[in-house]
Amino acid sequence: MSRYRSGPSTTLYIRNISDRVRYDDLKRLFSKYGRVLDITIPLDYYSGMPKGFCFVEFEDPRDAEEAQYRMDRQRLFGREIEVEFARGERKSKYLICFLGLDYICFSSW
């Protein structure tokens, strides 16, 4: 029996990112491990500043696994990042807008 309920996850949750990190920095860094489909950096609705975490979605779950293994506890812009697989299902940008959640995102949606 598979350890995955609905297939293996392809999205990583990266915690403790600097507010200086940009989409292109993450794309360049994580593309070394495989094709990146999307990067989302949630921003605080009021200040417009990054909230300190992001999501990176890969095309292939094996690439996501390799990136998680290689990048966890690495330093990025002076901070030690934590990389783990995202939990739960991703909400669409339309649902986020409809619900009025308290952040906006830089994303490649």
Side-chain angles (χ1 to χ4, degrees):
M1 179 178 211
S2 173
R3 64 182 172 159
Y4 306 107
R5 291 195 181 149
S6 61
S9 178
T10 58
T11 304
L12 298 177
Y13 168 68
I14 296 98
R15 183 184 0 242
N16 198 33
I17 64 168
S18 166
D19 57 2
R20 298 179 307 164
V21 171
R22 300 292 175 248
Y23 176 90
D24 291 335
D25 301 323
L26 294 166
K27 179 85 170 183
R28 186 173 38 257
L29 188 63
F30 283 92
S31 290
K32 292 190 277 189
Y33 303 103
R35 183 163 181 254
V36 172
L37 297 179
D38 190 36
I39 296 171
T40 303
I41 305 172
L43 304 176
D44 180 77
Y45 181 80
Y46 296 102
S47 70
M49 298 296 294
K51 289 189 156 193
F53 64 91
C54 69
F55 298 93
V56 176
E57 182 181 4
F58 285 87
E59 181 176 57
D60 189 314
R62 292 169 297 188
D63 296 336
E65 206 169 284
E66 180 74 11
Q68 190 276 329
Y69 176 77
R70 300 277 181 201
M71 293 303 300
D72 189 38
R73 304 290 179 188
Q74 295 300 309
R75 295 195 73 75
L76 178 62
F77 284 87
R79 291 189 173 189
E80 184 179 286
I81 59 172
E82 296 177 35
V83 181
E84 60 186 53
F85 281 93
R87 296 184 205 118
E89 295 298 315
R90 181 175 180 176
K91 300 190 178 32
S92 75
K93 67 178 178 178
Y94 304 106
L95 180 60
I96 290 170
C97 292
F98 176 75
L99 294 175
L101 298 178
D102 71 337
Y103 65 85
I104 56 177
C105 300
F106 280 140
S107 175
S108 61
W109 271 341

